[in-house]
Amino acid sequence: DRGSVQNLPKSYDVEYLMPVSLGTPAQQLNLDLDTGSSDFWVFSTLLKESMINGQTLYDPNTSTTSDKMEGYTWKITYGDESYSSGDVYIDTVTIGDLTVSTQAVEAAKVVSEEFTADSDNDGLVGLGFGIINTVQPYKQKTFFEKAMPGLDSPVFTADLKAGAPGRYNFGYIDDDAYLGNITYVPVDSSDGFWRWVSPGFQVGSTGSFNSTRIHGIADTGTTLLLLPDGVCEAFYSQIASAEYEPSQGGYTFECDDSTVPDFYFGTDNGQMIRIPGSYMSYSKTDTSSQRCFGGMQSDSGVGFTIWGDVALKAAFVVFDQGNEQLGWAEK
Ligand SMILES: O[C@H]1CN[C@@H](c2nc(-c3ccc(C(F)(F)F)cc3)no2)C1
């Protein structure tokens, strides 16, 4: 079996949403696929009105295939301190023609103000590893873990694009979606993340390769590229107008600065992925100024590197759960 679904970036590629069908008759919601968490949760009719702001709600009571998991609850907090919690139902879920008939659907009863404010986002599909699922008393499998046994191949792929629709595929690798070869690196899933080690980085096409092992996770749900301070300093030192502005929350530079270099990160045996300099001007810091917030920022607040959308949208990425490895290819 296999599936394929288009993903759509929101403005500034802050997050990528995909259509998902839940229940019978099908209820279609737009969800955020997040490889950095492992809960499948949705805005639902269990929410108070004050927490809803245009989102599409999953209504378990009108689905003829839903069953409430009595006594089961969930509560999750994300990297930006946003959170949600609620009850759990079993129902059928279809993503890109791939159906899981008994998915644990976590129906929100409470969401934080950040989720309420994000009116396009109807919930998250966590495709990290199930050991970090938050459902109590017994954790539940991710959509991919439920689908995996029936798939042609135990993989899903992420093809995120800058300011354009991309695609998530399940169960197969589309050889027309990338250039050259896919380089695989081992994944340590013990903390539930897609954690891998990059051998180093290079700033600019003429820069030297810096061999320094960078431990981090591939996280489709994080917008930016969060890297060790030394790497950020090496990159921003090459940009004439770059400043570290704690008041703005990190590195900024003039949006029209023509000295912004490309950034390359190593995967394995000499392969590097090139992130175009244009991906590094994330957003205007405020309406008046012509300064942009950098797409690369320090990971010091997190404790490990996060290869978020700024990096992932430069590559074709294979999340190979069957073999616990990540595949990287140029595109
Ligand atoms: O926790 C880590 C796991 N992956 C990262 C992640 N963060 C979110 C998120 C999405 C939407 C919102 C909100 F809508 F603005 F509230 C907040 C956080 N989704 O994945 C961070």
Side-chain angles (χ1 to χ4, degrees):
D1 200 357
R2 56 178 59 186
S4 181
V5 67
Q6 193 177 63
N7 61 54
L8 277 170
K10 284 186 53 183
S11 56
Y12 292 113
D13 300 343
V14 66
E15 65 187 20
Y16 290 77
L17 299 171
M18 63 182 176
V20 175
S21 292
L22 299 100
T24 310
Q27 301 177 39
Q28 183 170 304
L29 277 65
N30 292 321
L31 305 183
D32 178 0
L33 189 155
D34 173 25
T35 59
S37 66
S38 301
D39 281 50
F40 183 127
W41 74 267
V42 290
F43 272 72
S44 81
T45 49
L46 310 179
L47 281 161
K48 283 191 301 192
E49 282 301 309
S50 61
M51 293 184 173
I52 301 163
N53 174 33
Q55 290 84 2
T56 301
L57 308 177
Y58 167 63
D59 181 356
N61 300 319
T62 59
S63 170
T64 57
T65 44
S66 74
D67 282 312
K68 187 175 182 198
M69 294 182 76
E70 287 297 346
Y72 283 69
T73 58
W74 60 280
K75 176 167 180 18
I76 192 164
T77 301
Y78 294 98
D80 63 355
E81 301 308 312
S82 59
Y83 60 86
S84 53
S85 63
D87 292 340
V88 189
Y89 293 79
I90 298 282
D91 209 340
T92 180
V93 171
T94 297
I95 305 179
D97 294 335
L98 176 64
T99 295
V100 167
S101 53
T102 58
Q103 174 68 39
V105 177
E106 302 171 31
K109 295 176 72 174
V110 177
V111 298
S112 63
E113 59 188 10
E114 299 90 347
F115 282 107
T116 300
D118 190 355
S119 51
D120 305 319
N121 186 332
D122 302 327
L124 267 67
V125 179
L127 293 192
F129 294 81
I131 62 165
I132 57 172
N133 175 268
T134 73
V135 173
Q136 293 288 343
Y138 302 110
K139 62 171 70 82
Q140 302 298 303
K141 288 184 175 172
T142 67
F143 173 81
F144 187 74
E145 289 166 344
K146 296 285 287 189
M148 195 159 68
L151 295 177
D152 300 357
S153 177
V155 303
F156 63 93
T157 65
D159 182 2
L160 303 181
K161 294 190 188 296
R167 190 156 283 274
Y168 291 120
N169 293 334
F170 301 91
Y172 72 105
I173 289 173
D174 175 1
D175 291 332
D176 297 329
Y178 63 90
L179 300 171
N181 297 318
I182 299 173
T183 297
Y184 288 91
V185 295
V187 160
D188 170 358
S189 66
S190 53
D191 53 8
F193 299 127
W194 290 88
R195 177 188 286 273
W196 66 290
V197 181
S198 166
F201 69 97
Q202 179 176 305
V203 176
S205 56
T206 58
S208 56
F209 185 77
N210 292 266
S211 294
T212 169
R213 290 164 61 80
I214 301 171
H215 294 255
I217 68 172
D219 183 0
T220 56
T222 288
T223 308
L224 302 183
L225 169 55
L226 306 180
L227 284 165
D229 287 329
V231 181
C232 292
E233 284 152 17
F235 176 72
Y236 285 108
S237 67
Q238 301 306 307
I239 302 176
S241 64
E243 303 275 342
Y244 180 72
E245 292 189 271
S247 64
Q248 296 290 341
Y251 291 95
T252 67
F253 52 86
E254 292 293 328
C255 299
D256 61 1
D257 191 320
S258 61
T259 66
V260 182
D262 295 344
F263 179 81
Y264 300 74
F265 61 94
T267 53
D268 195 16
N269 55 48
Q271 191 213 37
M272 291 194 291
I273 298 291
R274 182 178 75 89
I275 304 176
S278 60
Y279 289 10
M280 294 298 185
S281 44
Y282 174 58
S283 66
K284 288 257 188 328
T285 52
D286 50 49
T287 45
S288 60
S289 86
Q290 287 308 307
R291 292 187 70 81
C292 275
F293 193 67
M296 178 194 301
Q297 296 294 338
S298 168
D299 66 6
S300 53
V302 181
F304 48 82
T305 281
I306 299 186
W307 304 93
D309 299 335
V310 162
L312 301 178
K313 65 190 179 188
F316 176 80
V317 192
V318 181
F319 292 81
D320 182 340
Q321 187 151 351
N323 301 292
E324 296 234 337
Q325 59 183 5
L326 268 179
W328 296 94
E330 297 269 14
K331 62 187 182 192

